[in-house]
């Protein structure tokens, strides 16, 4: 089983990254092959709404996001870890998600989506300064729409408030421990 982790924060070794690392450790402990994609290290731009994917379902922009399409197509589970920025997900994550408009076109317009009966799962980990429920809910709605496009069943979430400074997530034992369990459960229940 292949599990892909998407690190959506510009701050490496920050709070969401810590949660993601624990989740990937949990998945690996259950026997999964894990890989982490750090969005902030990829050179890519936003969707240009050019319609270039309308007839094929493939994006015509050739940049640093190109390998990610194949990596996510191949994944049996996807774990997204994002900070809450201005009541939603990070710009890096939203930019990636918008670039999957080509997959939305493939699935919903061209009828070319689907994974030939292969089920897969998705989980969302969020790190936030505040505990505001609406901010987590906004982020969840964005990621749920993305997972639906990729035929990934929304199967786990961890919303962690009270995290401001780098290193805060590790101080709350229950956050990293729960992230580890979510990673394990994705594989065990997969
Ligand atoms: C640009 C920016 C926007 C932020 N917006 C919010 C916000 O709307 N609500 C909130 O509770 N925290 C907000 N924060 C705080 C982060 O969510 C918090 O520091 C989080 O732990 C960062 O996770 P990271 O270490 O994975 O990047 C913001 C931080 C930054 C830098």
């Amino acid at each position: 089983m292949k599990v892909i982790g998407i690190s959506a924060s510009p701050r490496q070794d920050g709070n969401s990254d810590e949660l993601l690392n624990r989740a990937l450790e949990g998945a690996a402990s259950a026997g999964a092959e894990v890989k982490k994609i750090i969005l902030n290290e990829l050179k890519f731009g936003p969707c240009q709404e050019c319609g270039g994917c309308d007839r094929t379902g493939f994006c015509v922009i050739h940049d640093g996001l190109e390998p990610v399409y194949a990596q996510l197509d191949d994944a049996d589970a996807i774990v997204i870890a994002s900070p809450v920025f201005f009541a939603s997900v990070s710009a890096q994550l939203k930019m990636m998600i918008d670039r999957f408009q080509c997959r939305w076109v493939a699935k919903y317009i061209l009828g070319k989506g689907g994974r030939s009966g292969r089920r897969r799962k998705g989980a969302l980990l969020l790190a936030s300064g505040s505990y505001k429920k609406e901010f987590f809910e906004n982020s969840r709605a964005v990621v749920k729409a993305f997972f639906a496009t990729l035929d990934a069943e929304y199967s786990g979430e961890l919303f962690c408030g009270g995290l401001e400074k780098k290193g805060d997530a590790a101080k709350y034992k229950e956050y990293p421990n729960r992230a580890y369990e979510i990673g394990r459960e994705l594989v065990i229940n997969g």
Side-chain angles (χ1 to χ4, degrees):
M1 182 167 181
K2 287 185 191 161
V3 178
I4 299 275
I6 298 178
S7 174
S9 177
R11 185 159 72 170
Q12 280 316 288
D13 304 320
N15 295 318
S16 53
D17 204 37
E18 160 76 13
L19 300 173
L20 182 60
N21 290 341
R22 295 292 84 75
L24 294 180
E25 277 174 27
S29 78
E33 184 188 321
V34 301
K35 183 177 167 54
K36 183 163 130 181
I37 296 171
I38 301 170
L39 291 182
N40 203 45
E41 289 182 352
L42 304 181
K43 300 238 175 305
F44 70 105
C47 175
Q48 296 300 306
E49 210 175 1
C50 62
C53 59
D54 282 357
R55 267 183 276 155
T56 63
F58 290 98
C59 185
V60 295
I61 303 173
H62 301 291
D63 63 10
L65 199 69
E66 233 172 331
V68 175
Y69 293 108
Q71 286 166 336
L72 293 194
D73 282 345
D74 202 31
D76 301 299
I78 301 164
V79 185
I80 294 180
S82 178
V84 168
F85 280 175
F86 279 89
S88 185
V89 297
S90 72
Q92 287 83 347
L93 179 58
K94 187 60 167 59
M95 191 160 74
M96 183 202 80
I97 288 176
D98 287 355
R99 285 284 300 280
F100 274 77
Q101 173 64 5
C102 54
R103 288 295 196 273
W104 187 94
V105 166
K107 178 173 174 171
Y108 295 107
I109 306 291
L110 304 176
K112 284 194 200 164
R115 298 200 348 124
S116 319
R118 283 164 66 211
R119 294 167 59 223
R120 67 161 141 199
K121 291 181 178 287
L124 171 64
L125 314 173
L126 294 172
S128 170
S130 75
Y131 290 87
K132 268 203 161 187
K133 202 166 138 253
E134 307 91 281
F135 294 178
F136 294 128
E137 286 171 352
N138 293 345
S139 307
R140 178 205 275 141
V142 173
V143 169
K144 270 194 166 183
F146 176 61
F147 281 155
T149 300
L150 293 193
D151 293 314
E153 186 189 338
Y154 189 77
S155 308
E157 64 182 23
L158 178 61
F159 298 163
C160 303
L163 307 178
E164 273 296 346
K165 296 196 180 66
K166 204 168 172 173
D168 279 354
K171 290 183 197 154
Y172 290 76
K173 285 283 173 279
E174 70 273 21
Y175 288 161
N177 289 348
R178 183 66 199 123
Y180 185 92
E181 284 311 316
I182 286 175
R184 263 188 83 77
E185 285 161 11
L186 280 176
V187 180
I188 289 164
N189 303 330

